[in-house]
Amino acid sequence: MTQRGSLMLKNVVFVLTGKAQSGKDTVAVMIQQLLKSKYESSSIQLAYADILKDICVRNYGYRDKDKDRAILQNVGDVIRQNNEDYFVQVVWDLIVTMMSNTQYFIVTDARFENEMRPEPYNHYLTIVNVYIDNKNKHGLKGNVAKHESEQIATTPDLSKFDYVIDNSKDLEDTFLEVMKMVDNVIDNQARAYQELREETGLDVPQTETKQ
């Protein structure tokens, strides 16, 4: 978070949701490339499942994200039963520790409602919820597809997302959609910066971007 005195500009967190193999990681890389090449801004990519995978690798024989997905789901269920916000707290507390040096973050795998726009972080971070739609991919099959963690991605309420990226065509089309989204987010940040200056009459530090 950039700051001078009592004035702050919020860091931005892109939170991605989509079915398995819909292209969430691909879109995350595109966001990072655009922020770096077009706006000379660094970003950090994180995932809720990273710590879960580490736990499962160390203790439950997890090896393959497709074959062993049931292990992730079952262990995740046990952890969330004890603390629904465990994975949220791990990821977003990490973001908080890094936001003084990094303006942009990308969380690649929101699967539950509380992971999309979590309290209290949504009060001091700009959260951009993005749904990745891929009509060529039908997600998981069998029992793992019925798990609660797959329902938001499979039957999304699109009104809860700020942007929908169609990844059903070729990568160039997807890239153009992602670029429009990133440009719009950056423009919104610039407007927020200008509004702060006009409201306060003070100079607010703005993250350097290249148009």
Side-chain angles (χ1 to χ4, degrees):
M1 181 178 294
T2 53
Q3 176 178 355
R4 180 175 297 172
S6 61
L7 299 178
M8 299 180 181
L9 286 179
K10 293 181 179 180
N11 299 69
V12 176
V13 186
F14 294 89
V15 180
L16 311 186
T17 298
K19 292 179 291 188
Q21 300 180 342
S22 61
K24 296 186 293 295
D25 290 338
T26 298
V27 169
V29 170
M30 289 179 178
I31 293 171
Q32 287 192 294
Q33 289 175 339
L34 284 162
L35 288 171
K36 183 177 181 180
S37 63
K38 191 172 184 180
Y39 293 102
E40 298 181 351
S41 295
S42 62
S43 59
I44 294 176
Q45 186 179 148
L46 307 97
Y48 291 116
D50 284 346
I51 187 171
L52 176 59
K53 289 176 182 177
D54 185 60
I55 292 170
C56 291
V57 166
R58 293 173 182 269
N59 300 285
Y60 300 103
Y62 173 83
R63 293 292 180 271
D64 184 274
K65 68 177 182 178
D66 295 318
K67 296 179 181 179
D68 297 332
R69 186 173 292 268
I71 295 176
L72 293 177
Q73 293 177 344
N74 294 335
V75 174
D77 284 345
V78 172
I79 293 173
R80 275 185 290 270
Q81 285 172 5
N82 292 318
N83 180 358
E84 181 184 16
D85 293 321
Y86 175 78
F87 297 108
V88 168
Q89 291 166 349
V90 170
V91 170
W92 290 79
D93 284 352
L94 182 59
I95 289 173
V96 169
T97 66
M98 297 186 291
M99 66 185 192
S100 61
N101 296 315
T102 303
Q103 182 70 15
Y104 300 96
F105 297 88
I106 306 161
V107 179
T108 61
D109 60 344
R111 293 185 173 88
F112 294 90
E113 192 84 25
N114 65 322
E115 295 178 347
M116 292 178 60
R117 198 176 295 272
E119 295 272 355
Y121 311 96
N122 59 333
H123 295 294
Y124 52 88
L125 292 162
T126 297
I127 299 174
V128 181
N129 289 112
V130 185
Y131 183 73
I132 314 303
D133 188 19
N134 191 328
K135 298 175 179 61
N136 301 320
K137 301 292 182 180
H138 302 290
L140 303 174
K141 297 179 180 179
N143 289 331
V144 291
K146 301 175 184 178
H147 190 263
E148 183 184 4
S149 62
E150 300 302 320
Q151 300 317 301
I152 286 180
T154 303
T155 55
D157 178 356
L158 296 181
S159 68
K160 295 183 178 180
F161 294 90
D162 301 298
Y163 298 91
V164 176
I165 299 296
D166 185 358
N167 191 34
S168 304
K169 302 175 183 178
D170 58 38
L171 287 178
E172 183 177 354
D173 290 329
T174 300
F175 185 82
L176 290 174
E177 285 199 32
V178 174
M179 183 167 63
K180 289 179 182 178
M181 175 186 70
V182 171
D183 288 347
N184 189 252
V185 170
I186 298 292
D187 286 346
N188 289 340
Q189 286 293 99
R191 280 194 293 271
Y193 165 75
Q194 185 60 35
E195 287 172 3
L196 273 176
R197 293 191 64 182
E198 291 174 357
E199 289 174 4
T200 63
L202 299 175
D203 184 28
V204 183
Q206 182 181 28
T207 302
E208 291 292 332
T209 58
K210 182 179 180 180
Q211 297 291 340

